[in-house]
Each structure stands twice: as structure tokens, then as C-alpha cells.
Amino acid sequence: MSDSLPLREKYLILIDDIVQSTLKGKISSTNQVYQMLLNGVTAGTGEIFELALREQFSNVESQVKNETDELKQAKATRAFRAVKTIQNQWERVQEQTKAIEVIATAAREITTASDEERLLIFLRFIDSNQKYSLNLQQLQQLSKSLRQFAESNSDLQELAEGINKGIASWQRLQDHLVSWMYDQGETLGFAGVPGESGPWATWAKKVNSNIPEKLFRTLAVDQSANKFAEQISELTLGDWVEIAIILQNLQRGLVTWFDKQPYNVKAGSKLSISTFLTFAVIWSQLGDSFVRGTAYSDAAFQVMLQVLRTFAQRPYFPFYGGIFASFSGSYLRDALQYLDEPLRRVEGTQEKARILTLLGNSQRALGEYDRSIEFHQEALEIARNAGDSPCEIANYNHLSRTYVAQKNYTQAINYSQRALILSRQTGNKTGEANALTNLGYSEVMQAQQLEVIEPETYEMAINYLQQGLKLSEKLGDIQSKALCASSLGIAYLVIQQSQNAVKHLETGFKSAQVSGDLYLQGLNLANLAEAYYSQKQLETAIYTACLGMYLLNQIASNEWRKAAGLLIILQGQLGKEGFVKALQGFRSRIISLIGVDGYDYIPQLLEEYRGGSA
């Protein structure tokens, strides 16, 4: 204590000097206070300064409360304001000091890392999920630090140049972040004529940097990031860092802009969701483009996880939608290892549970039912322990859906009932709508399996489904409405009421289009084909089956084969020429939804189905 006492007194004097100088008008700006603190407080002694500041704050606050003389109270009030200014500027000093420490730590870890680890370490320091993430100004300072060591290491030179190029490219794009929505009367979202309009085409014209321009032009013509990687003979570390900085800032900028749209909250959040998932998919594709286990592949995968982790913390996180990304082997282990880090803090556990919910939903769409159940069971346990009831209810609902897919209807009914009870207890209306739908759906499918013929059994189940649909419509929840209408349509299909089936499946398809759920779009179309087939509307069945087959195949869902099987039957009934003629009759409508390439791919898919079924 004796060693710290003189320092404490020194800081009390410093604080008093600032207060008195402020009262006398010698200090006229907060920057002057900031500089005095920066020069006056010795590094590593912040705790002692804070003790002195708290003591001074308490003294001045007491004077303001207890002083009865008006002049003295006015002076004490001015002194109190001065101390508050010191507090605010001290926080600024601490932020600056911390930033300097983080930059120094980043430079040290990057320069001493192996070539394989260097990029992953850099990405950790720009991860917005970290407490201290380097901003653009701090990245420029990091680049300067790295250049000091660059002469003896070409990788460090590449990394430093990549940082500078990334910042410069982003600054050129910043003013054109959303200009594409207005320049040619674009609608909100990632829409536009391939290659001519939309965000990627606009940014390709503005970026003025070779590699990012090639990436944007590839995406602008509706090709995947994998195609971009195939076209690049060699991607340097600098190129990779430049792309990472540009994409990160585009994603953040778009989400911030969409989140602030006051005219339509649902449109804003819908487009924010679309942005998160779009960029996550791009990073996933980039990761797949390189040899797994290499630095570039691992780095792309790490950024994708960063995107998903940020997404999981958003209030509009879609518990009942999915991103159809397939994880396997070491990549799955890496994902869980990365997401385990937040579990060390109580508030972080929800993130992992929510991401696992997305992954479980995606695995069900892919037909990986056992893996889907594993994801949802783990998410359920984490959510329950974290007290995250919306996530807990969502996983009960997803488990119900997955067990239906496995034809385990007893378990499906069990989980839907749990979801219904908990959603009503907690007032979670979205969870309740989904639970009612899953309960009705499970009971219809169980009754069909047991060959129950009593209409009362189906009437009760259909009633649950109708309640779920009405509740989702009342909530204005498009995603839940898509699922509820789809489930009700399938139920009517099961009990051979094809007219009602068509009505609800069409509603489900349109709702899924609005929500952007490709899986439900494909599923509704495939089931619509079954309904039209039962009504002897064979040409319309061909149209809807082709669209459903294509969309489900695009997200790697095994359910595309069901639509393909129906098309083979139709081909047999109409003959090859009749089938082709019917397909050509819908050519323009099909192209408007999936493009020329999609239309041309339909015969190839049918051949693939034939080969797999042989």
C-alpha cells in the first residue's frame, strides 16, 4: 500500500488539476482532457487511477447534494460535470490502450506463427464475435507493424498488402453498398437480371481490383464461388485477405442497413437473414473449393462459422428455417470445437444451440435423419440448460418433424406434444403454431400407417393443422405459415381430398417463396405434382414435379427422387414425345423460376434417377 499511496496522491492531484482548469476555462474540449489523461496516467496503473477517480467523484457528488450556498453549489455542480467528463475520457483512454495492446498482440502472434496458422490467427482478430475486434483504422496500424517484419518473410508482406488492398477496395464500394437497389429500379434483396444488375454486378464495376472483381462477376451470373476458385490459377495470401476484408464489410454494412429500415420491419429482418445466409454459403463454397485441411480451406470454413455465430445472436434468428450446408468428418468436429468456446460463458451457450438447430434442420432436408436428431438433441440439452425456451421449443418441433420422416410417429407425437405444452406455458405463439401443425401432421401419418379408416381420427388431426395455420396467419409468420399450409396440404393428400390438398399446397409454395425457404418450395411442388396426378391433370403434374425435383436436387435433398419417380411414371403414360411436348408447353414458366440452365438440366436429372434406380 505504501508504494501505491504516492501514486494515488499523484492521480488525485491530476484529477483536481483537470477540474480546476475546466472551471477556470483553461480546458475547452474533451480532447484536451483525453490528452492529459493519456500523458498523466502510467501504463499498468489504471486500477490505482480508478480508485482516485472514484474517491474524487464521491467527494464532488456529496458536495452537490449537501451544499446549501447557491454559488458554492453551482461551482460544485460544474466540478461534478468536469469529473464526469474525466470518467468518459478515461473510458476512451482505456479503449485506445486496449486497442494498442490488441494490435501488438495480433502482430506478435501473426509474425511468430507458422505459415499454415498465420491466416487463421489474422481472421480471429477481425472476428466481430470477439470482445476486441480490429476495426479498419486498427487494421491499418497492424499492417504497418507487419511491414516491419516483411522483408524477411514474403507471407507477412502479402498479408500486409492484402490488408491495405482490402481496406482500399471496401472504401471504393462503401458508397455503392445499396445503390444497386435504386439505380435501375431494383426491388429489395439479391434480385436482378444475371450479369446485368443486382449487387454483385454493381460491385464488380466499382471495386477496381482484379481478384474481387472476378469473384463478383462470377456471383453476378448466378454461378457459385466454387466456379470462381476454379478460374483462378493461383490465389495469393494477399488476395485471400483482401477478399475476407471486403466480404466481411459488405455483409456487416448490408445487415446494418437492412436492420435500420423503418418502413417494413419484416422486410428488413428478412433481408438481413438472407444476407447472413448468402455470405455463409459463399464462404462454405470457397472452403469446398480448396483441398480440405489446407490453410485456405480451413480459413474459409472459420469465417463461415463466424458469420453463423453472429447470426445466431440476432433477435430475428429463424428457428424454423435452415441453411443447407453439409458438414462431415473433421469439418464437423472443427465446427463444434469453435462453437464450444462460448460455452465457457453462460451467456454464450445459446449461440451453439441455435446454430445446431439450423444444422439439424438442414440435415433433415438432406435426408440425414440420424445426424439431424443428434444435432437437435444436443441443441435441446444446451437450450434447456441456458433457459432458452424459444430454442428448446423449436428443437422439440424439429425432432417431431424428423421422426415423422423416419416413420416413427409415436416419438413424433411425443415431441410435438412437449412443444405444444411448453409453448403455451411460455406464451410462444410461433412455437405453438408449429407444435399444433406437427401434432396434426404426425397423427395423420400415424393413422395412415395403421390403416385407420374412421374419419373422426383424421378430423381431429386436421383440426390441429387448421389451428396451426390460423395461428401462423394471425402472427403474420410467413415461415410458419409455409410449413403449416404445406403440412395441411399433405394431410389432405393422404386422405385423398386432392382439391383441398392443391389449395393448401399452393398456399404453402407461395409462402415458402416469400420466406425464401427452398426446401419447402421444392417439397410443396413435389406434393402438388402428386395432387395434380390424382386429379388426372397430367401436364400440370409434369410442370410442378419438374420444378420440385430441380429445387430439391439443388439443395441436395434426397426427396428430389420422389418427384423424379412420378415423372418417370408420367413419361411412361404419355410416351416420350407426349412428355417432351408437355414439358415444352411450360418452358417459359419453368425458365422464369429456375432459368434456362435449370430447364436444360431436367432431362439430365431424370437420367440420373434412372441410373440410380436401375
Side-chain angles (χ1 to χ4, degrees):
M1 288 293 291
S2 59
D3 290 337
S4 63
L5 189 60
L7 197 55
R8 172 179 161 278
E9 289 178 354
K10 172 191 168 184
Y11 288 153
L12 284 169
I13 292 169
L14 173 64
I15 295 165
D16 190 57
D17 282 347
I18 296 173
V19 171
Q20 295 305 318
S21 296
T22 303
L23 295 178
K24 293 174 183 178
K26 294 180 180 179
I27 293 178
S28 58
S29 71
T30 55
N31 276 336
Q32 288 177 280
V33 176
Y34 171 75
Q35 286 299 328
M36 290 180 74
L37 293 174
L38 202 59
N39 297 329
V41 180
T42 307
T45 64
E47 290 184 7
I48 299 171
F49 176 79
E50 289 175 6
L51 286 172
L53 185 58
R54 280 199 294 270
E55 182 180 332
Q56 190 76 331
F57 182 90
S58 180
N59 290 338
V60 177
E61 187 178 40
S62 178
Q63 289 176 23
V64 172
K65 288 180 179 178
N66 300 323
E67 186 59 65
T68 55
D69 184 277
E70 287 187 11
L71 288 175
K72 289 182 179 179
Q73 189 182 53
K75 184 179 179 180
T77 301
R78 287 165 55 211
F80 182 72
R81 285 200 293 266
V83 174
K84 289 285 289 181
T85 300
I86 294 171
Q87 280 186 323
N88 293 335
Q89 293 309 305
W90 172 242
E91 289 178 7
R92 184 181 164 195
V93 169
Q94 287 180 301
E95 287 176 7
Q96 175 65 16
T97 304
K98 186 62 185 177
I100 292 170
E101 289 177 6
V102 173
I103 293 167
T105 302
R108 183 177 64 253
E109 291 191 20
I110 289 170
T111 54
T112 58
S114 66
D115 292 347
E116 294 77 20
E117 295 175 329
R118 195 163 281 135
L119 182 55
L120 293 172
I121 291 171
F122 169 74
L123 293 174
R124 176 158 51 83
F125 281 98
I126 64 170
D127 181 1
S128 60
N129 297 293
Q130 301 296 329
K131 188 174 182 181
Y132 296 102
S133 174
L134 296 178
N135 58 32
L136 294 179
Q137 184 181 0
Q138 291 159 357
L139 278 174
Q140 287 175 323
Q141 294 172 18
L142 174 62
S143 176
K144 289 179 183 178
S145 298
L146 294 177
R147 282 185 180 278
Q148 296 173 8
F149 302 90
E151 289 183 8
S152 60
N153 190 304
S154 59
D155 267 8
L156 292 177
Q157 186 175 348
E158 285 276 355
L159 206 157
E161 288 178 359
I163 291 172
N164 293 334
K165 287 176 68 178
I167 293 171
S169 295
W170 161 241
Q171 288 172 339
R172 284 191 290 272
L173 294 175
Q174 200 166 6
D175 292 338
H176 306 283
L177 181 67
V178 294
S179 64
W180 48 277
M181 296 182 186
Y182 307 104
D183 289 347
Q184 299 174 15
E186 293 293 340
T187 55
L188 288 174
F190 288 85
V193 179
E196 298 176 14
S197 60
W200 308 116
T202 300
W203 298 333
K205 295 169 189 172
K206 303 295 182 182
V207 71
N208 195 28
S209 182
N210 184 39
I211 297 299
E213 182 183 344
K214 286 183 178 178
L215 173 61
F216 293 152
R217 291 203 182 282
T218 302
L219 296 172
V221 294
D222 282 342
Q223 291 183 335
S224 71
N226 306 71
K227 195 70 175 177
F228 155 77
E230 290 173 10
Q231 296 167 352
I232 304 299
S233 57
E234 186 177 355
L235 197 68
T236 68
L237 178 61
D239 295 332
W240 210 104
V241 170
E242 181 185 9
I243 289 171
I245 290 173
I246 294 170
L247 290 181
Q248 183 191 60
N249 283 281
L250 283 173
Q251 175 216 310
R252 288 179 183 175
L254 286 172
V255 168
T256 300
W257 194 86
F258 289 140
D259 282 353
K260 289 181 178 177
Q261 297 316 297
Y263 51 82
N264 191 331
V265 175
K266 290 186 181 302
S269 63
K270 175 192 168 184
L271 292 170
S272 293
I273 291 168
S274 175
T275 301
F276 275 118
L277 297 182
T278 296
F279 280 84
V281 167
I282 289 170
W283 283 112
S284 176
Q285 291 169 345
L286 285 173
D288 284 339
S289 302
F290 304 103
V291 178
R292 293 202 168 193
T294 60
Y296 289 170
S297 179
D298 290 346
F301 185 69
Q302 179 169 311
V303 179
M304 185 193 70
L305 289 169
Q306 291 175 2
V307 173
L308 289 176
R309 187 174 162 194
T310 303
F311 182 35
Q313 299 171 60
R314 296 288 166 150
Y316 45 72
F317 182 80
F319 284 113
Y320 298 98
I323 176 172
F324 305 105
S326 181
F327 294 90
S328 61
S330 63
Y331 268 55
L332 178 59
R333 291 193 296 274
D334 289 345
L336 299 181
Q337 184 178 356
Y338 176 85
L339 297 170
D340 269 334
E341 187 273 329
L343 295 178
R344 299 191 185 102
R345 305 185 308 275
V346 173
E347 65 271 20
T349 58
Q350 294 176 334
E351 298 167 4
K352 182 176 179 181
R354 292 180 177 212
I355 293 171
L356 287 171
T357 305
L358 264 185
L359 299 182
N361 188 22
S362 299
Q363 292 301 315
R364 181 174 72 250
L366 295 170
E368 299 287 346
Y369 302 132
D370 289 339
R371 184 177 292 174
S372 174
I373 289 169
E374 288 176 13
F375 278 131
H376 287 308
Q377 289 287 9
E378 186 176 357
L380 184 62
E381 184 179 352
I382 295 170
R384 192 185 295 125
N385 292 334
D388 187 351
S389 62
C391 187
E392 185 180 354
I393 293 164
N395 280 283
Y396 280 134
N397 275 317
H398 284 304
L399 282 165
S400 174
R401 207 78 187 178
T402 307
Y403 278 116
V404 166
Q406 287 193 324
K407 297 182 171 53
N408 186 341
Y409 303 121
T410 302
Q411 280 284 56
I413 291 169
N414 174 32
Y415 279 111
S416 62
Q417 288 174 334
R418 290 192 195 183
L420 185 58
I421 292 168
L422 185 57
S423 61
R424 285 176 170 171
Q425 286 176 343
T426 58
N428 185 320
K429 295 298 183 182
T430 299
E432 183 180 352
N434 279 271
L436 284 165
T437 297
N438 288 328
L439 180 57
Y441 186 60
S442 303
E443 290 190 349
V444 165
M445 302 308 286
Q446 184 183 56
Q448 183 196 33
Q449 183 189 52
L450 297 174
E451 299 181 353
V452 174
I453 57 173
E454 290 80 5
E456 300 82 25
T457 302
Y458 291 102
E459 285 172 10
M460 185 178 295
I462 294 288
N463 183 48
Y464 285 133
L465 286 160
Q466 289 171 336
Q467 286 181 54
L469 180 58
K470 286 178 184 177
L471 183 52
S472 66
E473 289 174 335
K474 184 179 179 180
L475 293 170
D477 185 339
I478 299 297
Q479 178 68 35
S480 294
K481 180 182 177 181
L483 179 67
C484 294
S486 171
S487 302
L488 191 52
I490 294 169
Y492 279 124
L493 198 56
V494 167
I495 61 175
Q496 298 179 348
Q497 292 187 21
S498 59
Q499 191 170 346
N500 277 330
V502 168
K503 171 188 169 184
H504 290 291
L505 288 169
E506 285 181 343
T507 300
F509 172 63
K510 290 174 184 176
S511 299
Q513 280 186 303
V514 174
S515 71
D517 191 321
L518 288 175
Y519 176 60
L520 277 181
Q521 287 179 50
L523 203 60
N524 276 287
L525 287 165
N527 285 305
L528 267 170
E530 295 277 354
Y532 285 126
Y533 179 72
S534 68
Q535 292 181 338
K536 309 299 182 187
Q537 297 185 47
L538 304 189
E539 292 184 351
T540 309
I542 290 172
Y543 164 66
T544 49
C546 284
L547 284 175
M549 175 182 69
Y550 177 81
L551 290 177
L552 290 168
N553 178 267
Q554 286 295 291
I555 59 170
S557 172
N558 286 332
E559 296 190 56
W560 74 270
R561 304 187 71 82
K562 180 180 177 184
L566 177 61
L567 286 168
I568 297 300
I569 293 172
L570 286 163
Q571 201 172 50
Q573 292 180 353
L574 294 174
K576 189 173 182 180
E577 288 185 10
F579 182 85
V580 171
K581 184 179 178 181
L583 182 60
Q584 288 175 340
F586 286 98
R587 185 175 187 276
S588 60
R589 288 176 65 180
I590 292 174
I591 288 174
S592 69
L593 289 170
I594 62 175
V596 176
D597 289 343
Y599 178 83
D600 291 341
Y601 190 51
I602 288 169
Q604 186 177 330
L605 272 178
L606 289 175
E607 286 304 313
E608 184 181 334
Y609 174 79
R610 276 200 181 93
S613 300

